[in-house]
Structures are given as structure tokens and as C-alpha cells.
Amino acid sequence: MIDAKAVETELQQARLARMEAEAANSDVEEMIWEVQHVPANAGCFAYFFAGVDQDSLAA
């Protein structure tokens, strides 16, 4: 017998996983765009990544 509640729970979890994957994909696409459009005079593109302190890269 099929447990309708379990199926609904799994479906909701799959929907949430899909939304998280779409959000992550959007973040990656944005990062790719930023790297592709880095200014010509920039010495390094690592400062685009979260948590990287641009001042520490200059040292």
C-alpha cells in the first residue's frame, strides 16, 4: 500500500532540493559572469570569491 503522507513528504523534499540547486546554479552563473567581465587592469580575480580579503592579496 502506498503511504500518501510519505509520498507528499518526499515530494516536498524534492521540491526544496530543486529550489536549492537552482539557487546554487544562479550563484555560479553570476560568479562566472563576474570572472568573464573582470577589468583588464585587475591583477587577480580571486577577490570575487566570498571571504577573500582583497587587501591581503596585494601583500
Side-chain angles (χ1 to χ4, degrees):
M1 182 178 280
I2 297 174
D3 183 1
K5 183 66 176 168
V7 171
E8 180 63 31
T9 300
E10 288 184 31
L11 181 59
Q12 186 63 26
Q13 290 174 345
R15 287 178 179 143
L16 289 173
R18 187 197 76 229
M19 289 189 296
E20 289 174 2
E22 288 174 350
N25 182 54
S26 177
D27 292 344
V28 169
E29 287 180 353
E30 181 179 340
M31 187 184 311
I32 290 170
W33 186 92
E34 289 176 354
V35 169
Q36 288 175 337
H37 295 87
V38 65
N41 62 352
C44 180
F45 64 87
Y47 61 88
F48 284 112
F49 298 99
V52 176
D53 180 21
Q54 188 173 1
D55 295 332
S56 68
L57 294 175

